[in-house]
Amino acid sequence: MQENSKTIPAIKVTGLTKKVADASGELTILSDVHFTVQPGATVALVGASGSGKSTLLGLLAGLDTPSAGEVSIDGTALYRLDEDGRAALRKEKIGFVFQSFQLLSHLTALENVMLPLELRGDRDAQPKADAMLARVGLAARTGHYPKFLSGGEQQRVALARAFVTDPPLLLADEPTGSLDAATGAAVIELMFRLNREQGSTLVLVTHDPAIAAMCERRMTIHAGQMIDGSAA
């Protein structure tokens, strides 16, 4: 009997391991990580610097390849796909917010937000991007290039770009790490509001206990191993 789509986890991680070569021979960044995340959940990934949090987030997005193990996104085994297949899945199912914004400097705010829509062939890219920028409070800044925007404004553009395709999964890597406390708090409040409105699953990496406390679930990584919160 086929599994009902409502019971399929948003994320299922099985035996995920990542090793890289270094001067001493081989370094294990992640070791045999297992967990599931149900649709609509909000999850904080916490741990010391160098514990493997950002590596794990990149593997969840298919931006890197594991040494062993598998990640399934909405029932699709990510690493059974080739690179083009993973890119296609990202366009359809995943939004990503980076600490350093990752906006394209030669594109305006509007063009940055339009880009993921255009990449998937959406004919209504401009009105959708305009509407999303208005939702994040940047209706008057659509024609500005990133260098003319403050850090908080750039992260709002990045949020608009991540949410504009209405992805079922949003991954955020230290989204307030480049912002002052007040600006960061405003950006986090906006991110959680957009997430609630769209009903997406949110997984974020953070060092901030207050941000982690806003999530329904907290998972702790220590030295590449999941030591807390690995249950579904």
Side-chain angles (χ1 to χ4, degrees):
M1 183 175 179
Q2 188 174 9
E3 188 177 16
N4 189 299
S5 61
K6 292 184 179 179
T7 68
I8 296 174
I11 303 170
K12 183 176 181 179
V13 172
T14 308
L16 200 63
T17 298
K18 180 66 178 181
K19 299 180 180 181
V20 296
D22 69 358
S24 63
E26 189 173 67
L27 175 66
T28 299
I29 300 175
L30 292 172
S31 179
D32 196 29
V33 173
H34 298 256
F35 64 89
T36 60
V37 176
Q38 298 303 323
T42 54
V43 180
L45 281 176
V46 300
S49 295
S51 60
K53 304 183 304 297
S54 293
T55 297
L56 175 56
L57 206 69
L59 289 169
L60 296 183
L63 296 173
D64 196 0
T65 55
S67 304
E70 183 57 89
V71 174
S72 291
I73 302 296
D74 196 22
T76 299
L78 195 55
Y79 293 103
R80 294 183 187 176
L81 304 173
D82 61 16
E83 189 172 342
D84 289 341
R86 293 195 297 272
L89 184 141
R90 278 195 298 273
K91 284 191 290 186
E92 185 68 25
K93 295 184 178 294
I94 301 175
F96 208 114
V97 180
F98 300 88
Q99 176 179 338
S100 56
F101 319 135
Q102 296 291 327
L103 301 178
L104 297 178
S105 61
H106 63 286
L107 299 181
T108 65
L110 178 62
E111 290 166 342
N112 267 285
V113 178
M114 286 173 61
L115 186 59
L117 294 167
E118 292 174 331
L119 287 173
R120 72 176 191 181
D122 197 313
R123 295 183 179 180
D124 298 320
Q126 183 167 339
K128 288 181 178 179
D130 268 322
M132 183 55 72
L133 282 166
R135 286 178 68 186
V136 302
L138 293 177
R141 306 287 274 169
T142 59
H144 290 72
Y145 291 93
K147 68 180 179 179
F148 297 115
L149 300 174
S150 68
E153 288 171 332
Q154 289 185 61
Q155 194 59 297
R156 284 171 177 261
V157 174
L159 284 178
R161 181 183 59 189
F163 279 103
V164 74
T165 58
D166 198 12
L169 173 61
L170 182 76
L171 304 175
D173 191 3
E174 293 283 4
T176 63
S178 298
L179 305 174
D180 63 75
T183 303
V187 165
I188 283 293
E189 182 180 354
L190 174 62
M191 184 175 72
F192 274 86
R193 176 166 61 80
L194 290 172
N195 193 67
R196 286 192 302 270
E197 290 172 359
Q198 294 192 350
S200 52
T201 305
L202 171 65
V203 179
L204 67 91
V205 166
T206 184
H207 285 99
D208 189 330
I211 295 174
M214 296 173 69
C215 294
E216 300 163 348
R217 180 176 166 198
R218 173 182 172 132
M219 301 195 303
T220 303
I221 302 178
H222 176 71
Q225 294 185 316
M226 193 72 70
I227 62 170
D228 183 37
S230 58

